[in-house]
Amino acid sequence: MAMAMRIRNAASRRAMSPISGDFSLRSMSSWWKNVEPAPKDPILGVTEAFLADPSPDKVNVGVGAYRDDNGKPVVLECVREAERRIAGSSFMEYLPMGGSVKMVEETLKLAYGDNSEFIKDKRIAAVQSLSGTGACRLFADFHKRFRPDSQIYIPVPTWSNHHNIWRDAQVTQKTYHYYHPETKGLNFSGLMDDVKNAPEGSFFLLHACAHNPTGVDPTEEQWREISQLFKAKNHFAFFDMAYQGFASGDPAKDAKSIRIFLEDGHHIGISQSYAKNMGLYGQRVGCLSVLCEDEKQAVTVKSQLQQLARPMYSNPPLHGAQIVSTILGDPELKSLWLKEVKIMADRIIGMRTTLRESLEKLGSPLSWEHVTKQIGMFCYSGLTPEQVDRLTSEYHIYMTRNGRISMAGVTTGNVGYLANAIHEVTKSS
Amino acid sequence: MDSVFSKVVRAPEDPILGVTVAYNNDPSPAKINLGVGAYRTEEGKPLVLDVVRRAEQQLVNDPSRIKEYIPIVGIADFNKLSAKLILGADSPAIKENRVTTTQCLSGTGSLRVGAEFLKLHYHQSVIFIPKPTWGNHPKIFNLAGLSVEYYRYYDPATRGLDFQGLLEDLGAAPSGAIVLLHACAHNPTGVDPTPEQWEQIRQLMRSKSLLPFFDSAYQGFASGSLDTDAQSVRTFVADGGECLIAQSYAKNMGLYGERVGALSIVCKSADVASKVESQVKLVVRPMYSSPPIHGASIVATILKSSDMYNDWTIELKGMADRIISMRKQLFEALKTKGTPGDWSHIIKQIGMFTFTGLNKEQVAFMTKEFHVYMTSDGRISMAGLSSKTVPHLVEAIHAAVTQVV
């Protein structure tokens, strides 16, 4: 059980029996002396360790932040231009609790389709959120408040913060089969069994595309079957879409799973993030949407989402939303953005091919087919925690201990070094 | 297919933010918005501080700037400088590394993260908040899982501080209870304790081991002096005890929409502060992962440069002075008009807001007949007034007080 959970339980026990004693200022000790140091975040802790490493050979394939072929972070040209236009703006006032209306409108078009009937009919309750994390957390809080009887099913494995989010929202969590270690692909029958056996009306967290950390996505055919089974079981589908455009290079293609569910009549929820596909990581821009029965219900649901946002941060930050609106609201800038997204996606696809070929050329006894079959920012390499530790201690290569490689950190400059190191720690497998 | 949320009912409008919504929908040219606490110039326009524009331009022109995730606790420079701002550059707590500061989403975010931390790690889960207080305070603490109790604060009879009531209520609080204190410019009343009263509050709280949680949303905005407005916090920290502080840059740097703030936790030792920081990160990560970069970068740019810092203090004093002058104008105008009642509280209260003493019915009357918008508790934002609009407001108050009881 997570440290924080134990501490939460301990604190509530302690609150029931107040401490008594001498409270003179001089002898008073800290209120916090029983606070234990928290474990480092498994993902963000990797970058911290990388930064602290003095080795000139070090490679960071840990956190999912895009790098160009020189290993440098990228600010998209469309973003720089948008910022030039925004600078000097006379507006720095509070956004509404639901965020920038313009930004939300444009964002819904990306997920639901430019000509979506749901947008026309105003059936979508949507609010600007603090990137994907914030959207998931708002939805989890909403889920807890209005459907406390039900639970959320989370795939195994998933982004580690998903568990933290639903736990802190106090929503009961269950898991469903997803990744198949033997094939390094999808455990489709396991997934379908879990969907079938879950109580009717359960909530499921689905990665819309480019599953994090595995890079393993269902095929279109499989998505259709999942959707049909969801219908039969009356399940609620919540999509976390953090990589639209980043997976295949084509945003419409990357939203296919969502479009299938919409065609089949599901009332879904979606978390969207601009962290990766617009490179707006630190701006914390995203959107939470919930498709409702009608406009009236959408207004209602939105009002309740706002009630949850108000005591968390009052209203969302302005700057990132202005960047998104400026880009998506201008056809030229939007088209530049689409080009730049495709360049990022293509570079990653290219690196996948190069990494796989390099390992094969080195004569690796293992199959590295999965490197090119998986999609998106991450490759679930199949490396064990011990092998990962060796990569770090012997080769100064940093990744999360589940063997997840951020392909965005791979460059023509380091792919050879990376392939060699992986080969060295796996060749006796 | 039926929605799984079909039983959800419509939430009421936020009482404060809803005022601006109603104001925006009003077509009358005479309308005045005295609702939300956002500064307005004498021309009734929002203000982006000059020093903020300069800082922003600097950032835009710097091609080496990237937009990656910042650490979970935010920008290091920003955090250090924010702690210095509220605690003073020579604070022993800072020198001894006993302060952990986390960049958060303005005051709201700082309060929420602090409250969630307390729920997990503090032995008491009750927080005492003043009556009245900012409408969002009880919601923040409730959602964090704390239970909320009230201590007396505002005395409607004097339109000042109910100091006796405050001492009694805090004196009766269970040992170790958390106490929310408005560092200066109490919202919504504008009524602050005197330095002598603060000293008594401090002694009482320390004797009962009550944990102070300061909400500092108006530093510099109340008196015009950043140091003066931080005195309450600094006297508590000077006694070596622990406390939490939520800072906001929304008003004093005009960065409202960028959501810039900081949560500082002053601990007994550096070792404790470090462990506390690691636990605060666990609260933040499942809430929004890491804070937004833009606003905090602007603040850090300004606080780091002694020129920009000085320019900021001048602009800040300008805003505070305009508000103080609005108070004087409104008070004089009501006196001249002969509006019944004692209106001296308008010049005795401090900060952005005046608690007029008008009741709900009078407020509704003023909105309907005079298109004057304020929250239903009679709170007016002085920042929304100008020399041009004072006469209209006086007409409205006079009519309300004489025609509606």
Side-chain angles (χ1 to χ4, degrees):
Chain A
M1 198 197 279
M3 175 90 72
M5 183 76 86
R6 284 201 286 270
I7 290 170
R8 187 196 283 272
N9 291 341
S12 34
R13 282 198 293 278
R14 254 178 279 148
M16 294 195 282
S17 53
I19 295 169
S20 60
D22 173 20
F23 288 105
S24 77
L25 205 59
R26 251 165 309 162
S27 67
M28 197 181 356
S29 57
S30 170
W31 290 123
W32 320 117
K33 62 182 196 310
N34 295 325
V35 172
E36 301 183 27
K40 283 210 186 300
D41 184 277
I43 302 170
L44 304 178
V46 170
T47 292
E48 278 183 34
F50 167 82
L51 289 171
D53 185 334
S55 162
D57 298 323
K58 62 183 181 177
V59 173
N60 186 0
V61 284
V63 75
Y66 182 78
R67 295 282 178 277
D68 64 14
D69 200 45
N70 295 313
K72 296 270 174 287
V74 170
V75 176
L76 301 188
E77 221 2 84
C78 61
V79 170
R80 285 211 193 278
E81 175 54 30
E83 283 219 297
R84 282 190 281 268
R85 295 185 195 180
I86 294 166
S89 147
S90 61
F91 182 81
M92 254 178 201
E93 304 259 298
Y94 296 121
L95 282 173
M97 281 182 283
S100 158
V101 168
K102 181 147 194 288
M103 177 244 155
V104 167
E105 264 171 26
E106 291 294 337
T107 304
L108 293 182
K109 288 203 281 199
L110 282 178
Y112 293 82
D114 281 340
N115 300 311
S116 163
E117 61 186 283
F118 307 117
I119 297 179
K120 270 198 212 77
D121 295 343
K122 303 196 193 210
R123 282 177 52 189
I124 308 172
V127 296
Q128 178 187 338
S129 65
L130 291 156
S131 210
T133 306
C136 287
R137 176 58 179 270
L138 263 193
F139 183 76
D141 282 351
F142 179 74
H143 180 180
K144 171 68 179 177
R145 184 170 270 191
F146 293 102
R147 294 303 302 262
D149 45 300
S150 66
Q151 58 273 317
I152 182 100
Y153 281 78
I154 296 184
V156 178
T158 194
W159 179 47
S160 57
N161 204 26
H162 278 145
H163 291 294
N164 299 334
I165 292 168
W166 269 271
R167 176 205 65 218
D168 275 15
Q170 297 178 48
V171 174
T172 308
Q173 292 181 37
K174 297 250 162 71
T175 57
Y176 63 93
H177 287 87
Y178 191 85
Y179 180 70
H180 207 196
E182 287 79 50
T183 59
K184 298 198 178 68
L186 183 67
N187 180 354
F188 187 55
S189 56
L191 184 157
M192 293 297 269
D193 278 346
D194 288 343
V195 171
K196 185 149 30 113
N197 295 328
E200 255 213 35
S202 293
F203 285 64
F204 276 76
L205 170 69
L206 303 166
H207 295 225
C209 65
H211 180 273
N212 177 2
T214 69
V216 168
D217 286 349
T219 61
E220 193 176 314
E221 218 3 82
Q222 289 170 328
W223 274 121
R224 291 192 190 283
E225 287 188 49
I226 296 169
S227 171
Q228 288 305 315
L229 185 51
F230 264 58
K231 258 178 113 155
K233 297 282 311 187
N234 244 342
H235 290 328
F236 183 93
F238 183 72
F239 286 94
D240 184 351
M241 183 158 67
Y243 298 99
Q244 188 184 12
F246 221 98
S248 69
D250 176 358
K253 193 150 172 251
D254 290 347
K256 192 65 184 167
S257 58
I258 287 174
R259 306 288 170 85
I260 289 170
F261 271 67
L262 290 172
E263 278 159 28
D264 288 351
H266 293 279
H267 293 168
I268 62 177
I270 309 176
S271 154
Q272 286 169 268
S273 164
Y274 285 102
K276 287 89 174 168
N277 63 11
M278 240 186 231
L280 295 178
Y281 308 93
Q283 305 287 347
R284 320 308 297 124
V285 206
C287 177
L288 166 66
S289 61
V290 179
L291 176 62
C292 303
E293 278 168 355
D294 51 36
E295 181 177 351
K296 182 155 173 273
Q297 193 184 74
V299 168
T300 300
V301 168
K302 180 176 169 174
S303 74
Q304 292 292 353
L305 293 175
Q306 289 178 173
Q307 286 282 317
L308 291 162
R310 174 59 157 155
M312 202 186 284
Y313 49 83
S314 282
N315 36 71
L318 178 60
H319 193 70
Q322 283 181 321
I323 295 175
V324 173
S325 309
T326 303
I327 292 172
L328 297 184
D330 174 331
E332 266 188 49
L333 278 184
K334 181 169 179 178
S335 142
L336 172 58
W337 171 58
L338 292 170
K339 256 203 254 328
E340 293 189 275
V341 170
K342 187 159 192 324
I343 290 173
M344 291 195 285
D346 284 348
R347 193 185 87 68
I348 286 178
I349 291 167
M351 283 298 104
R352 287 182 178 279
T353 305
T354 308
L355 178 60
R356 174 184 168 177
E357 285 175 355
S358 305
L359 285 161
E360 287 166 354
K361 238 190 274 236
L362 285 165
S364 172
L366 305 173
S367 163
W368 296 98
E369 201 183 36
H370 54 286
V371 173
T372 48
K373 271 179 83 176
Q374 291 165 5
I375 190 169
M377 198 177 276
F378 303 112
C379 163
Y380 221 43
S381 59
L383 291 164
T384 66
E386 295 69 38
Q387 289 168 334
V388 171
D389 289 343
R390 277 191 66 196
L391 283 178
T392 305
S393 58
E394 293 173 38
Y395 295 91
H396 307 278
I397 294 172
Y398 290 81
M399 66 179 72
T400 47
R401 287 189 91 228
N402 54 9
R404 183 193 84 165
I405 299 175
S406 172
M407 294 307 297
V410 181
T411 67
T412 48
N414 65 25
V415 66
Y417 178 75
L418 180 62
N420 186 63
I422 292 175
H423 178 59
E424 286 301 315
V425 307
T426 57
K427 62 188 179 184
S428 50
S429 303
Chain B
M1 213 183 296
D2 245 19
S3 168
V4 297
F5 299 117
S6 48
K7 302 250 171 43
V8 173
V9 295
R10 178 93 175 254
E13 281 278 5
D14 182 276
I16 303 171
L17 303 177
V19 170
T20 293
V21 170
Y23 168 85
N24 286 335
N25 290 334
D26 185 333
S28 162
K31 63 181 180 177
I32 317 179
N33 187 359
L34 303 177
V36 75
Y39 183 80
R40 291 285 177 276
T41 63
E42 177 62 21
E43 291 72 38
K45 297 255 173 300
L47 178 68
V48 175
L49 299 188
D50 198 64
V51 72
V52 166
R53 274 199 206 289
R54 276 158 52 204
E56 213 187 22
Q57 208 47 59
Q58 213 175 288
L59 294 170
V60 163
N61 292 338
D62 181 357
S64 72
R65 272 190 54 74
I66 52 170
K67 297 178 186 325
E68 299 262 299
Y69 295 121
I70 54 183
I72 299 174
V73 295
I75 300 174
D77 278 351
F78 168 86
N79 288 337
K80 275 205 208 41
L81 293 162
S82 294
K84 259 181 62 180
L85 184 66
I86 187 68
L87 298 177
D90 51 359
S91 169
I94 295 180
K95 287 208 189 80
E96 292 157 21
N97 282 320
R98 294 192 284 113
V99 184
T100 161
T101 305
T102 303
Q103 177 194 336
C104 292
L105 280 103
S106 209
T108 307
S110 305
L111 290 164
R112 177 62 177 270
V113 170
E116 299 247 345
F117 170 80
L118 291 172
K119 175 65 181 165
L120 286 169
H121 299 285
Y122 189 58
H123 66 94
Q124 266 280 17
S125 58
V126 63
I127 181 163
F128 279 73
I129 68 182
K131 194 173 160 81
T133 192
W134 180 44
N136 205 19
H137 275 144
K139 294 186 195 157
I140 294 170
F141 300 126
N142 277 326
L143 281 198
L146 298 177
S147 62
V148 171
E149 299 279 351
Y150 287 87
Y151 61 90
R152 278 169 285 171
Y153 191 84
Y154 179 70
D155 185 354
T158 60
R159 297 205 182 95
L161 183 64
D162 178 0
F163 192 48
Q164 263 320 109
L166 182 157
L167 291 177
E168 277 172 31
D169 289 347
L170 291 190
S175 173
I178 309 158
V179 178
L180 178 74
L181 302 163
H182 294 226
C184 71
H186 179 272
N187 175 3
T189 69
V191 168
D192 284 349
T194 62
E196 295 71 35
Q197 289 170 328
W198 270 121
E199 174 56 20
Q200 270 188 266
I201 295 170
R202 182 194 68 77
Q203 284 181 20
L204 171 62
M205 285 184 59
R206 294 309 197 191
S207 74
K208 296 203 40 103
S209 302
L210 302 177
L211 179 68
F213 195 157
F214 284 96
D215 184 351
S216 173
Y218 299 98
Q219 187 187 3
F221 217 100
S223 68
S225 155
L226 288 158
D227 289 324
T228 305
D229 291 348
Q231 267 318 111
S232 60
V233 174
R234 293 182 190 178
T235 48
F236 271 77
V237 173
D239 70 14
E242 295 177 317
C243 67
L244 281 76
I245 307 161
Q247 275 172 282
S248 165
Y249 289 97
K251 287 88 177 167
N252 62 10
M253 260 200 211
L255 290 172
Y256 308 92
E258 300 298 354
R259 318 312 293 128
V260 205
L263 167 71
S264 283
I265 304 181
V266 181
C267 307
K268 276 274 169 173
S269 73
D271 182 54
V272 168
S274 156
K275 289 188 213 168
V276 164
E277 179 163 305
S278 71
Q279 291 292 349
V280 169
K281 282 159 130 176
L282 291 194
V283 169
V284 169
R285 178 63 158 147
M287 207 184 277
Y288 50 84
S289 282
S290 58
I293 188 175
H294 190 71
S297 303
I298 292 175
V299 173
T301 302
I302 293 172
L303 296 182
K304 243 197 290 229
S305 148
S306 54
D307 279 345
M308 283 191 166
Y309 180 87
N310 285 330
D311 290 344
W312 173 48
T313 60
I314 293 168
E315 287 190 84
L316 181 52
K317 186 162 192 316
M319 290 195 286
D321 285 348
R322 193 183 91 69
I323 285 177
I324 290 168
S325 119
M326 283 301 104
R327 288 183 176 280
K328 291 204 186 82
Q329 281 189 39
L330 179 60
F331 172 68
E332 293 298 329
L334 284 165
K335 243 181 46 186
T336 305
K337 179 88 184 174
T339 304
D342 174 6
W343 298 98
S344 61
H345 54 285
I346 292 177
I347 45 176
K348 285 197 219 145
Q349 291 166 6
I350 193 170
M352 199 177 276
F353 303 110
T354 292
F355 224 38
T356 55
L358 295 161
N359 63 38
K360 248 192 350 208
E361 291 74 28
Q362 289 165 329
V363 170
F365 172 83
M366 286 169 65
T367 304
K368 181 153 182 284
E369 302 299 327
F370 289 86
H371 308 277
V372 172
Y373 288 82
M374 66 179 80
T375 47
S376 60
D377 56 4
R379 181 193 87 165
I380 55 174
S381 169
M382 300 309 292
L385 261 187
S386 70
S387 319
K388 281 199 241 19
T389 53
V390 162
H392 183 73
L393 177 60
V394 167
E395 287 303 311
I397 293 178
H398 190 88
V401 163
T402 51
Q403 292 174 39
V404 184
V405 256

